[in-house]
Amino acid sequence: MKPQVLIVGGGISGLSTAWWLAQQGVAVEIWESAPRAGGKIRSHREDGYLTEDAAALLVNFRPQVDQMITDLALNRHKHLRDENLKRYIVHHDRLTHVPMLLPALLTSSLWSLPAKLRLMVEPFIPRGAHTGESVSEFIRRRLGREILDTAMDAFVSGTLASDPDLAEAQSVLPRLTALEQRYGSLSMGMFINRVVKRRRANTADTFSFTKGMEQLLQALANSPGIHIRTGTTATRIQQEEDSWQVQGETHGSPTEVRIPQLVLSTPADTSSQLLYPMDAELGELLAGIEYAPVGVMHLGIASSAIQHRLDGTGFLVARHNRLAINGNLWMSTLFPHRAPPGKALLSSYLGGVRHPEQLQKSDEQLADEVLDSLRPLMKITGQPDYIRVRRHLQGLPLYHGQYRARLARIASRVQAMPGLELNANYIGGVSVRERIYQGQRTAQDIAARLHCNTRNRHPQQILVS
Ligand SMILES: Cc1cc2nc3c(=O)[nH]c(=O)nc-3n(C[C@H](O)[C@H](O)[C@H](O)COP(=O)(O)OP(=O)(O)OC[C@H]3O[C@@H](n4cnc5c(N)ncnc54)[C@H](O)[C@@H]3O)c2cc1C
């Protein structure tokens, strides 16, 4: 079957869109410039350690993700995180346990009495967001400065590589801001959802797979109905009457295709370069999306050399702690077979908006800095026997500034180009969960258009020439 849709970019965004389309009987081709599909996500087994280049785990509350994993027959390969594992945060130079339930939060040593009293008045604070409100403004307004400085700063920097003063609250905390809009209060909204409506959306499964996150990407790439051309880079696109002409290079040779539906699942700067010749304003809007460099350093070390109990998922670091790392995952505690027997695998997240210069440093320099941060916190005495560093110069899009307004302007310009869709991690969330969800939404739109066109025209007319 000839493809009806071309997707440029074979990361999780492109692959999930392709998979949802294939589920609806739409044939898809993917052009991926790298020699393999998967984009930033890659799992690497070496010396008995299984490490991740990018996403280390999937935090899920969406039925679409469950459906995909079931249909791909991956449930038996799924490794769930033990929900009893502790979550830690660095507080006064120590790892401090963060309770996950409200009553325990109120008795925790993490916050002062005024901060706890401030938390208790949250339900009585009126709504008050302004357009483009930052995470810092939102959290300070609803929960107080101390919660921002100790917890939310660590979350936004550690998991999103972003700056809470610049990141737009509605873009990076959509569920929290929706609770305020809907119920007028975060705590009341959580209570109503959890206790009254018994919503699953408040609980999440966190998991990876036997062979790491890449197992999901490989299963998607090998699905029927998806044809992937690796080593193929799109270099130019042009809109024609009712199709798109896409030119590219495959292993040094020119290639070209005409296709009714085109999806760009590339980073924003690549999409900008491809679209600029047709719409300079769209090109500039995309080029203006900032990315942070992000690195991950994996250290393998004898468990006996770590005195802190490895009884948690790892820890996050708020900026006032001035440590070289933004967060650390205890991968060998989270999932089985990540390290050889008797060893622990600790994965530290580096760079981001806090330390963009870090990615220029050598592996040796980085290892020294990471160990200097980890040693006092985890009481590490020995030396690591395994070190692996991955650097992503364009690691994560930042969702800074009036981001929703930017995306709305991008969407309105794309709407004027029938048959074009943008679906990558600068729209709708960076997590694997949201990429899968957004993939389904994009696929639904395309399938609806294709079926509508098929009803209105002779089918031959919409197939690739
Ligand atoms: C260090 C790190 C840790 C992370 N941890 C987590 C985590 O634990 N959990 C989680 O849910 N998320 C995590 N994320 C986020 C998540 O991994 C990414 O947001 C997601 O993988 C991005 O997918 P994507 O398909 O949008 O982009 P990419 O993976 O960047 O894919 C884009 C693809 O487009 C291709 N391409 C570019 N230009 C062209 C062209 N002209 N022609 C053809 N192909 C082209 C590229 O080669 C690439 O394969 C992490 C990210 C990083 C960097």
Side-chain angles (χ1 to χ4, degrees), residues 8-13 31-34 38-41 53-57 232-234 265-267 270 294 349 392 395-396 424-425 430-432 435:
V8 181
I12 182 65
S13 302
W31 285 11
E32 166 52 55
S33 53
K40 293 196 173 58
I41 296 174
D53 283 7
L57 40 83
T232 305
T233 302
S265 287
T266 45
T270 307
V294 182
Y349 293 86
H392 303 280
L396 285 165
N425 66 349
V430 299
S431 68
V432 175
R435 302 320 318 141

Side-chain angles (χ1 to χ4, degrees), residues 299-462:
L299 295 181
I301 191 159
S303 310
S304 56
I306 306 171
Q307 279 173 40
H308 194 286
R309 284 188 67 193
L310 292 172
D311 57 355
T313 59
F315 61 88
L316 289 171
V317 181
R319 70 183 124 177
H320 62 81
N321 293 287
R322 300 189 184 284
L323 292 177
I325 59 179
N326 300 328
N328 185 263
L329 281 181
W330 300 346
M331 291 305 294
S332 47
T333 305
L334 275 162
F335 304 118
H337 314 304
R338 298 292 167 141
K343 307 280 181 175
L345 176 64
L346 310 176
S347 299
S348 300
Y349 293 86
L350 310 168
V353 170
R354 262 190 220 165
H355 309 293
E357 74 295 340
Q358 257 182 337
L359 270 76
Q360 310 303 329
K361 297 184 181 174
S362 68
D363 288 9
E364 292 71 28
Q365 276 176 307
L366 284 178
D368 286 347
E369 286 185 11
V370 168
L371 276 166
D372 283 350
S373 292
L374 291 181
R375 275 190 204 288
L377 291 169
M378 300 183 67
K379 311 216 173 350
I380 295 176
T381 47
Q383 287 296 332
D385 64 16
Y386 179 77
I387 299 179
R388 182 165 185 262
V389 187
R390 299 303 295 161
R391 294 173 178 79
H392 303 280
L393 295 179
Q394 267 200 313
L396 285 165
L398 289 171
Y399 292 62
H400 278 179
Q402 306 235 335
Y403 201 74
R404 279 160 55 98
R406 180 185 291 275
L407 289 187
R409 286 168 66 202
I410 290 174
S412 81
R413 305 218 57 98
V414 171
Q415 243 173 17
M417 299 181 174
L420 174 70
E421 296 275 347
L422 305 182
N423 180 33
N425 66 349
Y426 59 88
I427 303 175
V430 299
S431 68
V432 175
R433 176 193 67 241
E434 295 309 303
R435 302 320 318 141
I436 291 172
Y437 174 66
Q438 295 294 337
Q440 190 207 34
R441 292 184 59 173
T442 307
Q444 275 170 345
D445 289 349
I446 294 172
R449 268 201 307 276
L450 284 171
H451 293 148
C452 172
N453 288 351
T454 315
R455 275 202 303 274
N456 294 341
R457 288 191 227 158
H458 189 275
Q460 289 300 322
Q461 279 180 276
I462 68 152

Side-chain angles (χ1 to χ4, degrees), residues 118-140:
R118 180 67 175 75
L119 264 184
M120 288 166 78
V121 300
E122 193 275 331
F124 308 104
I125 292 171
R127 289 184 182 90
H130 64 82
T131 316
E133 183 176 42
S134 70
V135 168
S136 294
E137 289 170 321
F138 173 71
I139 297 296
R140 218 181 288 125

Side-chain angles (χ1 to χ4, degrees), residues 21 26 30 36 64 79 85 90 92 110 132 164 168 245-246 299 316 331 347 366-367 373 382 400 407 435 451:
L21 281 166
V26 178
I30 296 180
R36 55 171 274 289
Q64 290 84 354
H79 290 302
L85 288 175
V90 180
H92 296 317
L110 264 175
E168 188 182 56
Q245 186 200 36
V246 185
L299 295 181
L316 289 171
M331 291 305 294
S347 299
L366 284 178
S373 292
H400 278 179
L407 289 187
R435 302 320 318 141
H451 293 148

